[in-house]
Amino acid sequence: MDPREYCHNKATPPGSSLYYSLLFLPEAQRHTVTALYAYQKEIVGIVAECSDVGVAQTKLQWWQEEITRLFTGCPRHPVTQTLATPIKTYDLPQQSFLQVIGGAASDLEQSTYPSFQALTTYCYQIAGVISLMAAEIYGYQDSETRTYAENLGIALQLTHILRNVRQDADRGRIYLPQEELTRFQVSSEAIFTSYANSQGMTALLAQQAGQTRHYFRSALANLGKHDRQTQYAGLTQIALGLNILNTMEEDGYPVLQRRTSLTPLRKLWIAWRTSRRARRGLAPQC
């Protein structure tokens, strides 16, 4: 399989939110950012798919070595082969790729997170640095756009966590902060068995959704008008993310029963509308 095709199959299958977020990018940017997210999926997928910690650690070690090969000009994997030229074109830092691996490695050491601060640190490592590199590829003038990108990555990962409470619980993992579970009197066992107290669970999820919205809003607040034209793919991610949170809220946060999704047609409409507004320097309508 062609390396670019591999990356697109991995990160942006047709109908996915990322597919529509990147749909209107110039071809070269789209291929590069798709490879970035394919890299993220490769690394995060190790934790999700490997029940044996030793095997997962071995795979992460291989990826550490592969990043060294990438930056010395001899990558082996389709994802890193796709990134071989862009890391030079956009001066992407080796340390950022290693941070993603570090975040996944820390995730192997724990199945829960004690606090929201600990969770956002993890989200930054595996998603914030990806958004930062994507922002470099899109281009920007204002240094505050880096803060926008960090907050965007954290918000996207927090949204992913909210949508996947059931799937993560099935793998023996709870990403909702333990201090918040205690505050809303929701036990870990209740989540694992899908018998969480409905009132407490709904309040807990509403709290997490509110914090996620805060990161999306903070991202928007740190993106100046003159950088909206280049960062419109990220603005589309914000619009889609906020729409998912709104749909989740309207449905009463049914995350223990099903995964909240938007229809492909709705995603396409949001992506098209957001890209048009961004090109005029306007924020997305959410």
Side-chain angles (χ1 to χ4, degrees):
M1 184 184 295
D2 174 78
R4 285 184 174 181
E5 183 182 357
Y6 177 93
C7 291
H8 282 278
N9 288 343
K10 185 74 177 181
T12 56
S16 65
S17 291
L18 187 58
Y19 171 85
Y20 289 108
S21 296
L22 308 184
L23 185 60
F24 300 109
L25 282 175
E27 184 178 13
Q29 286 188 345
R30 187 172 70 253
H31 288 317
T32 302
V33 177
T34 297
L36 275 182
Y37 281 101
Y39 172 72
Q40 181 195 44
K41 284 185 174 292
E42 291 284 352
I43 302 305
V44 175
I46 291 171
V47 178
E49 297 162 10
C50 291
S51 56
D52 187 309
V53 173
V55 172
Q57 289 173 335
T58 299
K59 289 186 174 184
L60 290 176
Q61 178 61 38
W62 184 91
W63 273 102
Q64 279 190 313
E65 296 165 0
E66 178 66 358
I67 294 304
T68 298
R69 288 189 288 269
L70 168 62
F71 280 84
T72 54
C74 50
R76 299 178 186 173
H77 195 278
V79 170
T80 44
Q81 288 171 353
T82 305
L83 289 167
T85 298
I87 62 168
K88 300 173 184 177
T89 302
Y90 300 104
D91 195 24
L92 302 180
Q94 183 174 356
Q95 184 57 33
S96 293
F97 290 93
L98 294 175
Q99 277 185 284
V100 180
I101 297 173
S106 69
D107 204 19
L108 285 175
E109 299 169 1
Q110 55 191 336
S111 57
T112 61
Y113 284 81
S115 66
F116 185 72
Q117 180 59 52
L119 181 61
T120 55
T121 297
Y122 162 73
C123 291
Y124 170 77
Q125 287 180 296
I126 65 166
V129 295
I130 296 292
S131 285
L132 274 168
M133 287 192 285
E136 293 290 338
I137 293 163
Y138 302 144
Y140 59 87
Q141 302 174 42
D142 192 336
S143 62
E144 284 299 302
T145 295
R146 291 184 57 80
T147 304
Y148 144 84
E150 291 178 16
N151 287 333
L152 170 59
I154 292 170
L156 290 171
Q157 189 61 29
L158 289 173
T159 304
H160 176 80
I161 287 169
L162 273 174
R163 297 177 74 193
N164 290 278
V165 172
R166 171 75 274 141
Q167 291 85 344
D168 289 331
D170 288 342
R171 296 188 293 110
R173 310 186 70 82
I174 296 176
Y175 287 93
L176 300 174
Q178 287 297 308
E179 66 180 13
E180 300 294 342
L181 266 66
T182 300
R183 175 185 172 188
F184 291 100
Q185 300 181 338
V186 176
S187 70
S188 297
E189 185 60 29
I191 293 178
F192 286 134
T193 58
S194 297
Y195 286 112
N197 175 272
S198 59
Q199 185 175 355
M201 185 66 178
T202 299
L204 166 63
L205 294 170
Q207 163 76 6
Q208 297 305 300
Q211 290 176 313
T212 304
R213 283 193 183 91
H214 169 75
Y215 272 94
F216 277 129
R217 301 296 184 190
S218 294
L220 281 173
N222 283 283
L223 183 64
K225 183 177 180 179
H226 48 275
D227 279 340
R228 289 175 187 165
Q229 294 183 37
T230 58
Q231 299 290 326
Y232 63 83
L235 290 175
T236 301
Q237 289 177 300
I238 291 175
L240 288 169
L242 288 172
N243 271 270
I244 287 170
L245 291 176
N246 291 342
T247 300
M248 197 179 295
E249 180 181 25
E250 292 165 5
D251 292 344
Y253 301 101
V255 297
L256 291 177
Q257 291 75 43
R258 65 181 186 274
R259 190 173 188 269
T260 299
S261 298
L262 306 178
T263 66
L265 184 60
R266 186 175 174 187
K267 292 176 185 177
L268 177 60
W269 165 245
I270 292 170
W272 178 81
R273 180 182 62 182
T274 303
S275 67
R276 283 180 58 85
R277 288 181 60 82
R279 287 188 174 96
R280 302 200 306 271
L282 301 175
Q285 291 180 323
C286 305

